[in-house]
Amino acid sequence: MRLIKNCLYCNKKLIGRTDKKYCDPQCKSSHQYQREKQKPKRFYNKVDNQLRLNRKLLKEYNRAGKATVRSGILIKEGFNPKFFTHYWKNKKEDVYFFVYEYGFLKRKENGIEKYVLIQWQDYMN
């Protein structure tokens, strides 16, 4: 005896196996996509995606090992300074925030907010 008589996505009458849920692969895919879209984004995925974007941008703008970039440029590309993996404090008490091996320090020079970008070094342990 068939429990589900119609396709879960398009509601067409099903023909064939008694445990069939969809009329074709397209309906199955569309239904699963629709269900997944309705679920709230997982917190872990949001954090991981932002960390990956932050690392990519820090790496891209810091090719020489140390650089200074206006904060507006990075933020415009999606950089979020609230997402970092760890920090390091130097002898001057400046706190560098790191996204894996790429770090940044927020500075204000001549009224313009900038980030000093650095790369992790062995002496920072």
Side-chain angles (χ1 to χ4, degrees):
M1 181 158 91
R2 180 184 293 271
L3 297 175
I4 301 170
K5 296 183 179 188
N6 296 331
C7 176
L8 291 176
Y9 184 71
C10 70
N11 215 22
K12 285 183 187 173
K13 187 174 179 179
L14 295 173
I15 301 169
R17 292 179 24 199
T18 57
D19 61 344
K20 196 171 182 181
K21 295 179 184 179
Y22 306 98
C23 57
D24 59 33
Q26 289 79 14
C27 278
K28 180 179 180 181
S29 178
S30 297
H31 187 251
Q32 289 173 343
Y33 175 75
Q34 185 181 46
R35 278 187 23 215
E36 198 60 38
K37 221 173 124 181
Q38 291 172 348
K39 290 182 183 176
K41 275 196 168 183
R42 290 184 23 213
F43 179 72
Y44 168 82
N45 291 348
K46 286 181 185 178
V47 171
D48 190 48
N49 289 340
Q50 187 62 56
L51 285 173
R52 281 192 280 142
L53 177 61
N54 281 1
R55 183 186 178 279
K56 177 186 162 205
L57 292 171
L58 291 174
K59 181 180 179 183
E60 185 177 313
Y61 282 94
N62 186 12
R63 293 187 180 152
K66 185 173 182 181
T68 304
V69 180
R70 289 183 182 210
S71 64
I73 293 172
L74 288 176
I75 290 170
K76 184 179 175 183
E77 293 198 38
F79 182 78
N80 187 337
K82 295 178 183 176
F83 289 82
F84 57 91
T85 55
H86 59 288
Y87 66 91
W88 173 73
K89 191 186 288 188
N90 67 9
K91 291 177 183 174
K92 296 178 188 175
E93 301 293 313
D94 295 327
V95 178
Y96 287 85
F97 295 98
F98 279 83
V99 181
Y100 303 108
E101 74 272 30
Y102 296 100
F104 62 96
L105 170 69
K106 192 172 191 175
R107 280 275 159 97
K108 199 166 195 173
E109 295 177 4
N110 302 324
I112 300 170
E113 286 190 1
K114 298 180 179 183
Y115 289 120
V116 177
L117 309 181
I118 63 170
Q119 206 165 352
W120 183 263
Q121 304 295 319
D122 289 337
Y123 69 85
M124 295 178 176
N125 286 330

